[in-house]
Amino acid sequence: MTHDPKELTEVEDPAVEVLTQHLGWIERTAQDADDLRPSRKEPILVGLLKEKIRDLNPWISEENAARVVHQITTVQATSVLEANEKIHAMLDLGTTVQQDLGDGWGERSRTVRLIDYDKPDNNDFTVIRQYHVEHYTLCIPDIVLFVNGIPIGVIECKSPYLNKAMTEALKQINRYQENSSGFRNQGCPQLFRTAQIIIATHSTVAKIGTNYTPLRHWSEWKDPWPLTLEDLTFTLGRLPSSQDALLFGTCSKENLLDLIRNCTVFEREAGRVVKKVAKYQQFRAANKVLNQVTGPERKGGFIWHWQGSGKSLTMEFTAVKLRRNEALANPTLVVVTDRTDLDQQIHSTFFHCGFPNPINATSAADLKEILSRPVGQTVMTTIQKFQDAAEVYPTLTEEKNIFVLVDEAHRSQYNILAANMRKALPNACFIGFTGTPISLKKRDTFAEFGDCIDRYDHRQSVLDGVTVPIYYESRMPKLSITGNNL
């Protein structure tokens, strides 16, 4: 809750101004919010949600619209994160009801959309300040963002003049989530059953995370893609702050829905679930790849992202967007590495993040058999499986609807195995992922894959705190040669 006048005038007011005047959000008052829900114990704007369900699904009966609202507000789960995963699935894929539409098919299972991803303006984007949520105590987050009445984002603002402002903002967010035993019964965890992005800001620095993100993984959003910082300067009439870049980059209608649907995963790690949302370089790269391959020439290229920047997740977000793009008509995706441990790691990432049916090729013969099938698969393989006792490797398919995502693209892409891969899939589109592209006479990443689609190099990685700086000092080794026959 805002008490500091500087927090209000220099952080909260500018944030709401960006959302409402530049990104098309509608501001409603806290009193409006109370009129749209049964009590302050319910964080969902039930009245607005029911209205949007009817708008997006005009065939639905009043009874079924009420049933869908009940499904969302009373989702059965043993934890907030489990509830969040179930609600995220509903936001992504919709939910189902039984209804007879009078079409001759009788009462059947019908899909109910909660969000229109194809036409963002068909949705309601609401921002509310000082939103009251009651649990064991009263919590009043500074700003809450709603899509069709569902709380999607929580923004905690702090004065830029406060000592350790970011630390205080993150502490407040952890209290709201009751993210430690010390905050037991002090927060409003029910608000985070639906929240997808969480923002902590004091204007000069703004960071994004999601449910229960560890402190070290909160990060700035430094690129408001597809806009640039120069675009923001022109739009705002001033130099953009960290907060401006984050809001334009994550809370524009298109980008927010893209983040929710395509760039959020629930990964299983050591027996527990970890929710992850894309960083700015991952989001930008996945979208640039999609733009590149859906252009008139369907060109390939490579992603230059430094080690530690999350290339495995970037590949997954890219794969999700390729799979979902209607123009690509359910393509085959081939993910290629050059080491067994990398192959297992990427397969594990895709599988545990819920990517549908990734197939691990178990041998060279198995790979041939898989790639000879119709399109629509996701195949994981090492490049070593593109080998054959025959002198000439066969063409396995001439389908054009195949995308090959190559990890560590600076390695193993300049020999007979790489030639076999391209011979097997002559019409495929090749996308490389590497932290260190090379340009040598016989080994050239640019010549092999094409243009660099997106760059996130060591310098930017260090500035973002993803990679520690490298320090070195030149010294002469203390060596001497003894004897004549060495």
Side-chain angles (χ1 to χ4, degrees):
M1 180 177 180
T2 301
H3 296 291
D4 189 325
K6 292 292 185 182
E7 177 183 318
L8 176 65
T9 59
E10 298 192 23
V11 186
E12 185 179 312
D13 283 347
V16 173
E17 179 182 329
V18 166
L19 290 165
T20 56
Q21 296 189 23
H22 300 288
L23 299 180
W25 290 70
I26 298 169
E27 183 176 8
R28 287 184 166 94
T29 67
Q31 181 58 54
D32 294 335
D34 288 343
D35 294 340
L36 289 168
R37 54 181 173 160
S39 75
R40 289 181 171 180
K41 292 184 180 295
E42 175 54 72
I44 295 174
L45 305 180
V46 172
L48 181 56
L49 172 59
K50 191 173 182 181
E51 176 187 327
K52 292 308 297 182
I53 288 171
R54 290 195 297 258
D55 285 348
L56 298 178
N57 309 275
W59 51 267
I60 198 167
S61 68
E62 191 69 21
E63 180 184 1
N64 273 335
R67 185 172 287 115
V68 172
V69 170
H70 183 73
Q71 288 178 13
I72 298 169
T73 56
T74 61
V75 64
Q76 298 299 305
T78 58
S79 68
V80 171
L81 194 56
E82 182 185 349
N84 190 274
E85 184 173 11
K86 290 182 176 181
I87 289 174
H88 178 267
M90 293 185 201
L91 296 175
D92 178 6
L93 304 171
T95 186
T96 59
V97 295
Q98 297 290 324
Q99 186 169 324
D100 185 349
L101 301 185
D103 54 5
W105 291 97
E107 188 173 273
R108 299 178 61 194
S109 180
R110 313 286 180 174
T111 299
V112 181
R113 293 188 302 166
L114 302 179
I115 295 176
D116 188 340
Y117 290 98
D118 297 324
K119 298 178 180 178
D121 285 335
N122 284 350
N123 303 289
D124 179 281
F125 292 83
T126 289
V127 54
I128 297 177
R129 308 195 204 199
Q130 311 306 309
Y131 188 60
H132 292 63
V133 184
E134 292 180 357
H135 190 45
Y136 287 97
T137 185
L138 176 65
C139 294
I140 312 177
D142 293 322
I143 300 172
V144 178
L145 307 177
F146 298 81
V147 176
N148 297 340
I150 302 172
I152 292 295
V154 179
I155 303 177
E156 183 60 30
C157 304
K158 292 296 178 186
S159 167
Y161 303 101
L162 184 67
N163 188 32
K164 297 183 179 179
M166 182 54 64
T167 301
E168 289 300 312
L170 295 176
K171 181 180 178 181
Q172 184 87 314
I173 287 167
N174 280 330
R175 181 174 74 81
Y176 288 150
Q177 297 185 91
E178 296 187 355
N179 190 16
S180 81
S181 57
F183 294 130
R184 185 179 178 85
N185 298 335
Q186 296 181 30
C188 48
Q190 71 271 38
L191 176 62
F192 295 88
R193 290 161 69 92
T194 61
Q196 302 302 315
I197 64 168
I198 307 171
I199 294 170
T201 178
H202 55 83
S203 186
T204 51
V205 176
K207 294 187 176 183
I208 186 172
T210 188
N211 306 67
Y212 308 112
T213 297
L215 296 179
R216 67 184 182 278
H217 290 307
W218 285 79
S219 59
E220 291 186 77
W221 194 281
K222 294 189 174 179
D223 186 350
W225 190 92
L227 301 175
T228 65
L229 294 176
E230 289 74 18
D231 293 330
L232 299 197
T233 301
F234 178 79
T235 299
L236 298 170
R238 56 174 171 78
L239 290 176
S241 64
S242 172
Q243 175 175 294
D244 296 324
L246 190 153
L247 291 176
F248 273 93
T250 65
C251 294
S252 71
K253 295 177 181 180
E254 294 79 5
N255 284 10
L256 179 60
L257 297 188
D258 193 0
L259 277 171
I260 294 170
R261 194 183 194 199
N262 302 314
C263 299
T264 298
V265 296
F266 293 81
E267 187 170 3
R268 271 67 186 169
E269 292 182 353
R272 65 192 185 97
V273 178
V274 179
K275 185 180 180 183
K276 299 179 180 179
V277 67
K279 309 273 189 196
Y280 75 88
Q281 73 273 10
Q282 296 170 322
F283 179 78
R284 182 183 66 198
N287 277 288
K288 282 187 173 182
V289 169
L290 188 67
N291 290 345
Q292 179 102 335
V293 302
T294 53
E297 298 181 10
R298 206 180 67 117
K299 294 168 56 180
F302 69 92
I303 301 298
W304 179 352
H305 280 199
W306 190 253
Q307 285 88 344
S309 63
K311 287 196 294 297
S312 293
L313 279 179
T314 304
M315 293 176 80
E316 179 172 3
F317 298 145
T318 300
V320 169
K321 293 182 74 66
L322 292 173
R323 169 76 64 224
R324 277 190 159 148
N325 188 273
E326 291 184 2
L328 300 178
N330 194 28
T332 285
L333 307 176
V334 184
V335 182
V336 180
T337 61
D338 63 354
R339 297 207 318 257
T340 301
D341 59 336
L342 285 176
D343 184 44
Q344 293 172 345
Q345 174 195 323
I346 290 179
H347 179 270
S348 176
T349 298
F350 275 58
F351 179 78
H352 289 303
C353 291
F355 196 85
N357 304 321
I359 303 170
N360 243 137
T362 58
S363 65
D366 186 39
L367 178 64
K368 281 186 179 180
E369 197 275 328
I370 292 170
L371 293 180
S372 299
R373 298 175 195 163
V375 296
Q377 309 169 92
T378 301
V379 186
M380 314 286 188
T381 183
T382 56
I383 196 168
Q384 286 81 3
K385 292 186 175 70
F386 284 97
Q387 57 181 312
D388 201 309
E391 293 185 5
V392 179
Y393 198 88
T395 296
L396 299 179
T397 177
E398 295 187 356
E399 288 281 354
K400 295 182 179 180
N401 201 17
I402 297 177
F403 295 88
V404 182
L405 310 181
V406 181
D407 192 27
E408 302 295 352
H410 61 286
R411 302 190 312 225
S412 307
Q413 293 300 307
Y414 317 101
N415 55 26
I416 187 63
L417 294 174
N420 286 348
M421 178 174 66
R422 292 176 182 267
K423 176 72 166 55
L425 309 169
N427 297 317
C429 183
F430 290 82
I431 307 293
F433 292 78
T434 177
T436 51
I438 55 178
S439 182
L440 303 173
K441 185 175 181 179
K442 293 185 178 180
R443 294 186 298 160
D444 191 329
T445 310
F446 297 83
E448 195 70 20
F449 288 93
D451 297 336
C452 177
I453 299 172
D454 188 68
R455 177 171 175 170
Y456 182 77
D457 58 19
H458 174 261
R459 180 189 62 83
Q460 189 61 53
S461 181
V462 170
L463 289 174
D464 290 350
V466 174
T467 305
V468 296
I470 297 175
Y471 299 102
Y472 60 90
E473 153 176 38
S474 179
R475 293 185 180 182
M476 291 292 292
K478 296 180 180 180
L479 299 175
S480 63
I481 298 176
T482 302
N484 298 321
N485 298 324
L486 182 62

